[in-house]
Amino acid sequence: LLEYLKLVFAGMVMVKRQMFIAVLERIYSKISVPMPLGYNDLFAESYCSVYKVERNSSLIKFALDDLPANNKKNEIAFVGQSGKLTRSFAIKSMENISPKELILRDNYGGAIGIYGATLESGIENIQALKNSKIALCPPGNYSNHTFRIAESLICGAAPMFNQGSITDPICSYSYLSAQILGLPKHWKKKLEVAIKLDQKHLDDCIETSLKNLSSEIERVKNQIIEAQP
């Protein structure tokens, strides 16, 4: 019950934040630009070291140019912390799925040197995603927004997540393929449906989502440019 109440409070904080942004927009006659959450620093460093991508290149474009997937040896993968209530529910739903790659750590930072994160741990995550059809993408401890969505797409794994969350009621991944968004909401049922999908179907969802994400980023960039005085 205490964990649940903490999540409700976190959701209220998210709503309060959005209300505050709306007030600032009215006061200063400005608009805020919602931006899609991409990959984190650890993922970028690890990916570039494995695939020798230029550091000023788009990992999304690189992934689109390299879409043909290797044979996946795992149905699903998750690398990271077990986390709090919502994340533990998601991880538990993997119990009866096999083969899978499940690596749980006490700490898992988003940048090298933070919370025990290393280049090796980042590469381990990328390899797990590359070798799996599906990537479990549960929410963070206080927000449903997660770097895992974009990272799994770039590695050719279909992201499994819940669109709505009590911890972040405004969270949205509008760029994702409708075929991914249309899966059931309950974690266990969602995964039961997803693992029955053939690889071609998942690859099409991944390609569509990557293209949509790339377009969304361009839209945001143009909005920012147009807003300059």
Side-chain angles (χ1 to χ4, degrees):
L1 178 60
L2 181 59
E3 283 293 318
Y4 181 80
L5 291 175
K6 286 179 181 177
L7 294 176
V8 172
F9 177 75
M12 293 170 62
V13 170
M14 293 288 177
V15 172
K16 184 178 179 181
R17 178 195 65 188
Q18 290 307 113
M19 293 172 64
F20 180 63
I21 290 173
V23 169
L24 291 178
E25 287 179 334
R26 288 196 297 271
I27 291 174
Y28 295 103
S29 299
K30 301 287 185 181
I31 61 169
S32 59
V33 179
M35 300 178 68
L37 189 65
Y39 41 84
N40 67 28
D41 293 349
L42 175 60
F43 179 86
E45 290 285 337
S46 306
Y47 197 91
C48 288
S49 69
V50 171
Y51 295 102
K52 310 304 179 188
V53 185
E54 295 289 336
R55 290 185 178 274
N56 61 348
S57 300
S58 165
L59 299 191
I60 297 169
K61 184 179 184 306
F62 183 85
L64 280 168
D65 292 340
D66 190 41
L67 271 176
N70 299 323
N71 292 328
K72 307 286 189 176
K73 66 179 184 180
N74 298 315
E75 291 287 350
I76 189 168
F78 176 80
V79 180
Q81 294 172 288
S82 58
K84 297 191 178 180
L85 191 65
T86 50
R87 184 176 290 194
S88 62
F89 281 152
I91 294 171
K92 187 174 176 60
S93 68
M94 293 176 60
E95 280 182 339
N96 297 323
I97 297 177
S98 181
K100 60 177 175 281
E101 182 100 22
L102 176 60
I103 302 173
L104 297 178
R105 296 201 184 92
D106 292 332
N107 292 304
Y108 192 76
I112 294 174
I114 297 178
Y115 300 124
T118 64
L119 187 64
E120 289 73 22
S121 66
I123 292 173
E124 182 180 57
N125 178 48
I126 288 170
Q127 290 172 338
L129 294 175
K130 282 282 188 180
N131 288 324
S132 303
K133 286 172 56 179
I134 298 164
L136 188 70
C137 300
N141 288 333
Y142 291 106
S143 173
N144 210 43
H145 278 104
T146 169
F147 296 110
R148 295 178 184 276
I149 303 288
E151 293 172 1
S152 64
L153 290 172
I154 290 169
C155 288
M160 290 294 102
F161 72 107
N162 278 339
Q163 175 81 351
S165 169
I166 194 170
T167 61
D168 197 349
I170 61 167
C171 177
S172 173
Y173 290 104
S174 57
Y175 60 83
L176 285 176
S177 165
Q179 293 170 299
I180 292 178
L181 292 175
L183 293 174
K185 291 185 177 181
H186 188 273
W187 279 109
K188 188 174 181 180
K189 184 64 176 176
K190 182 190 295 289
L191 293 178
E192 286 175 354
V193 172
I195 62 175
K196 293 176 183 177
L197 298 174
D198 63 69
Q199 189 63 56
K200 175 65 168 61
H201 176 93
L202 293 176
D203 287 345
D204 289 345
C205 290
I206 290 166
E207 181 176 7
T208 299
S209 300
L210 281 171
K211 289 179 178 177
N212 290 345
L213 177 55
S214 182
S215 297
E216 184 70 8
I217 291 171
E218 285 301 314
R219 181 190 66 78
V220 170
K221 285 168 61 177
N222 291 333
Q223 273 190 281
I224 293 173
I225 291 171
E226 291 171 2
Q228 299 304 310

